[in-house]
């Protein structure tokens, strides 16, 4: 049987598609997190300890100066928004669909772009030759934003949840470290690719505790 290697990680079987199941799931989770990460940038736009120039009252529409230029760069159109909309354009062109407008706020456009890319993910993972480049850029974009929001290495790795309790086909338990990254709402195993949305967290904790007792 011929093995088709994943265009992103280049070492796992893509099962006849372009991305292996692990990379496809990881890319999907990163896309789901990007709108919340974009919103979180606003909270760190003002330098730590900065004040609104002594003015009291309602929160202003724009953060007080000075601002963090690295955060501002990501919040501007050429930061997070431009690459996301460029990928939407590329997918639409490849699938012979009309171009999309650029109306609305930057926040709304980020949300719409990520939502559309999420909708295209089944096709991207299976059929698009650019899937590997796309997955890599989405990974880098999410990493860059997280590094700005939580600059320490520990924060970038996320909060450790425990060992992944997923059982492989041969009956062995995955056991890789599970971490919940800043702004994420789904725990994803970086090794086996299993995902754990919030609705499963109670059961996940039970499985992790049971595995820990056995170990």
């Amino acid at each position: 049987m011929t093995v088709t290697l994943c265009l992103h990680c280049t070492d796992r079987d893509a099962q006849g598609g372009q991305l292996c199941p692990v990379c496809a799931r990881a890319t999907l989770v990163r896309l789901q997190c990007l709108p919340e990460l974009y919103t979180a940038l606003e909270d760190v736009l003002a330098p730590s300890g900065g004040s609104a120039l002594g003015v009291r009252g309602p929160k202003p529409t724009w953060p007080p100066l000075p601002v963090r230029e690295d955060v501002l760069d990501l919040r501007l159109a050429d930061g997070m928004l431009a690459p996301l909309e460029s990928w939407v354009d590329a997918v639409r062109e490849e699938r012979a669909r009309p171009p999309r407008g650029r109306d609305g706020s930057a926040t709304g456009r980020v949300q719409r772009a990520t939502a559309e890319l999420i909708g295209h993910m089944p096709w991207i993972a299976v059929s698009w030759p650019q899937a590997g480049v796309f997955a890599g850029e989405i990974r880098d974009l999410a990493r860059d934003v997280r590094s700005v929001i939580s600059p320490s290495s520990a924060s970038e790795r996320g909060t450790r949840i425990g060992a992944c309790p997923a059982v492989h086909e041969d009956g062995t338990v995955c056991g890789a470290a599970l971490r919940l990254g800043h702004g994420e709402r789904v725990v994803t195993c970086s090794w086996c690719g299993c995902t754990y949305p919030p609705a499963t967290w109670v059961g996940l904790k039970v499985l992790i505790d049971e595995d820990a007792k056995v170990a």
Side-chain angles (χ1 to χ4, degrees), residues 41-52 63-68 71-72:
L41 285 171
E42 185 175 2
D43 295 332
V44 295
L45 188 54
S48 177
S51 64
L65 292 176
V67 297
R68 288 179 53 183
V71 179
L72 185 61

Side-chain angles (χ1 to χ4, degrees), residues 21-179:
V22 174
C23 289
R25 282 193 289 265
T27 303
L28 179 61
V29 170
R30 289 174 182 130
L31 284 170
Q32 291 169 336
C33 294
L34 284 179
E36 188 168 350
L37 289 173
Y38 182 81
T39 300
L41 285 171
E42 185 175 2
D43 295 332
V44 295
L45 188 54
S48 177
S51 64
L53 303 179
V55 178
R56 297 181 179 272
K59 183 179 179 181
T61 302
W62 293 98
L65 292 176
V67 297
R68 288 179 53 183
E69 292 186 2
D70 55 346
V71 179
L72 185 61
D73 287 343
L74 288 167
R75 289 277 299 179
L76 293 176
D78 290 338
M80 289 182 66
L81 181 57
L84 289 172
E85 290 188 332
S86 293
W87 281 117
V88 170
D89 291 342
V91 170
R92 280 179 166 256
E93 181 178 359
E94 184 71 18
R95 306 193 77 179
R97 298 186 180 182
R100 189 165 188 169
R102 297 287 191 265
D103 298 331
S105 67
T107 299
R109 287 166 62 184
V110 167
Q111 292 171 346
R112 289 196 301 274
T114 52
E116 178 161 353
L117 291 171
I118 287 169
H120 288 298
M121 271 304 298
W123 173 82
I124 290 173
V126 172
S127 303
W128 201 25
Q130 295 298 316
V133 179
F134 169 74
E137 185 162 327
I138 295 302
R139 175 203 61 202
D140 293 346
L141 182 60
R143 180 191 60 201
D144 290 347
V145 178
R146 288 198 186 97
S147 69
V148 169
I149 296 173
S150 303
S152 70
S153 59
S155 296
E156 288 180 36
R157 291 196 300 270
T159 302
R160 192 180 191 283
I161 306 298
C164 178
V167 179
H168 295 165
E169 292 181 359
D170 61 1
T172 59
V173 176
C174 175
L178 292 176
R179 294 184 181 276

